[in-house]
Amino acid sequence: MGRRGVPQPAGARRYGAALVVLVLLWVTGCTEAAVPMDQPVAAPQGPAAAAAAGPDTTPELPRAPAAADGPRPPRDSPPPATQPPPAPQSPPPPPERPAPAGEKAAVLYLGDSLAMESQVALGEHVSAGGRASVHSAPYSGTTLCDYLTGRATRSLVPPRDKAAALVATHRPRVVVLQFWGNSWGFTPCMDGIPQGSDRYYARYAQDAEALTAQIALAARNAGIPRPRLVWVLQGPDAFSADRTHRVNDLYRAHASATGDTVADAGHEVSAPGARYQWRQRVPCNATERSRPGQCRDGLTALHRDDDPLHFCLAPTTPKARPCPTASPGIERYTRTIAAVVDRYVR
């Protein structure tokens, strides 16, 4: 003790006790005694003690083990208990099934004036196999956006014949899409975009994706498998060889990405070795050589002298109609499409 009434610090008491022991050891010569060790002292608790402790004496908090299966979440992410539950996934589409015995598979034929003039011939070729029947709903001057629902711009296709409405009504196994690529001069839904421009191809790709999605959704809502889409590849363009080439490449890429297919009808109305070079007449095939008037000097006519686009050899009328006369171009075109359709309805 020091001064009376003032307790000595614990360190001083321990120092005095140790000194007494050393004196006894020196006096008795005993070396077995051990110096008493300090008893463990509880660490200060509470915020005030932590604030008073120096940087080297602050007790370190235990660290959580590092995650072994990925990076730590961001600092501002909510705790796991407050994470929203995952969104429910939409049910898978019904599995494909063959048509019941005696029931013909339904085929939709949508498109522009080339589909308008060839619809009867395609229906005959598809029906000849006995496995399918065709419902055609073409409109001259149209393109992909005309068959979409929900567009603000005016369309040449009425609501009852939009692609989604027809899928719900006819429940097709196959949808054939015949679009040459009409634009600003024909249909208002293309918003005045000139043919062949970068905007034209970008818009065309977007509309192909949107049309595919709307057909798939309509099929799901109708409780049927998503129909297989057959994109018809186009023949040579008399005014721009590159345009239909690029449109066809777009169709191929899109069909490959969505698990659909193409029908290269355009190849059958092209000259051998000149896929994208327009020709009014091409070498006759065996069928044309066997039909009177269709093969002259080894060539058959695909187009009229006054119409480089359509394949109907009858005069053009103000009102669009199915072609009323035998025309080699239409025969070639529709046989190619029908062969592809037949593979998916067998």
Side-chain angles (χ1 to χ4, degrees):
M1 296 284 291
R3 290 177 297 175
R4 181 176 299 177
V6 180
Q8 294 294 326
R13 292 198 302 270
R14 289 196 297 269
Y15 176 79
L19 183 59
V20 170
V21 171
L22 289 175
V23 170
L24 291 175
L25 289 174
W26 179 75
V27 173
T28 61
C30 179
T31 59
E32 298 295 329
V35 178
M37 301 296 295
D38 289 344
Q39 296 297 319
V41 179
Q45 301 294 322
D56 295 334
T57 60
T58 304
E60 184 177 1
L61 298 177
R63 297 182 180 179
D69 55 352
R72 295 182 180 180
R75 293 183 62 184
D76 57 350
S77 64
T82 62
Q83 293 282 3
Q89 296 182 353
S90 57
E96 293 190 12
R97 57 175 179 80
E103 179 183 328
K104 291 185 178 181
V107 177
L108 282 181
Y109 188 30
L110 311 181
D112 50 25
S113 57
L114 295 182
M116 173 67 76
E117 67 178 4
S118 62
Q119 59 183 305
V120 172
L122 180 65
E124 291 174 350
H125 289 314
V126 171
S127 298
R131 289 177 288 270
S133 60
V134 179
H135 176 83
S136 297
Y139 287 84
S140 295
T142 58
T143 194
L144 302 176
C145 56
D146 285 291
Y147 284 87
L148 291 170
T149 59
R151 289 292 174 91
T153 52
R154 187 168 63 88
S155 170
L156 301 180
V157 176
R160 69 177 183 276
D161 285 337
K162 298 291 189 180
L166 291 173
V167 168
T169 301
H170 296 278
R171 304 166 68 88
R173 183 83 60 82
V174 177
V175 177
V176 179
L177 301 166
Q178 155 50 53
F179 293 97
W180 180 77
N182 292 320
S183 185
W184 58 274
F186 302 94
T187 177
C189 76
M190 283 295 285
D191 301 321
I193 299 174
Q195 281 182 337
S197 64
D198 289 341
R199 289 177 59 212
Y200 169 83
Y201 296 114
R203 171 66 178 277
Y204 218 75
Q206 293 171 0
D207 288 346
E209 293 177 0
L211 188 59
T212 300
Q214 289 192 3
I215 289 173
L217 179 60
R220 187 181 307 122
N221 291 340
I224 62 172
R226 175 193 176 286
R228 182 64 57 95
L229 306 187
V230 177
W231 296 87
V232 180
L233 302 187
Q234 303 301 293
D237 185 344
F239 307 104
S240 174
D242 182 62
R243 192 192 63 80
T244 51
H245 195 171
R246 291 185 64 178
V247 168
N248 287 349
D249 286 347
L250 186 151
Y251 287 158
R252 286 192 184 93
H254 182 68
S256 176
T258 58
D260 294 301
T261 191
V262 298
D264 197 357
H267 179 270
E268 299 304 313
V269 291
S270 303
R275 175 64 177 83
Y276 290 101
Q277 295 180 16
W278 185 88
R279 298 284 189 275
Q280 184 179 3
R281 295 172 174 81
V282 295
C284 303
N285 59 28
T287 301
E288 292 151 0
R289 285 192 293 269
S290 67
R291 293 176 176 173
Q294 286 197 0
C295 188
R296 297 180 180 179
D297 300 325
L299 298 175
T300 192
L302 298 179
H303 307 280
R304 289 173 53 85
D305 293 341
D306 59 351
D307 187 350
L309 172 59
H310 300 98
F311 299 109
C312 184
L313 298 183
T316 303
T317 58
K319 185 177 181 180
R321 59 177 178 169
C323 186
T325 189
S327 302
I330 289 179
E331 181 72 12
R332 290 175 175 225
Y333 212 75
T334 54
R335 280 190 179 276
T336 304
I337 299 171
V340 174
V341 169
D342 190 61
R343 293 203 300 266
Y344 292 105
V345 298
R346 283 185 180 272

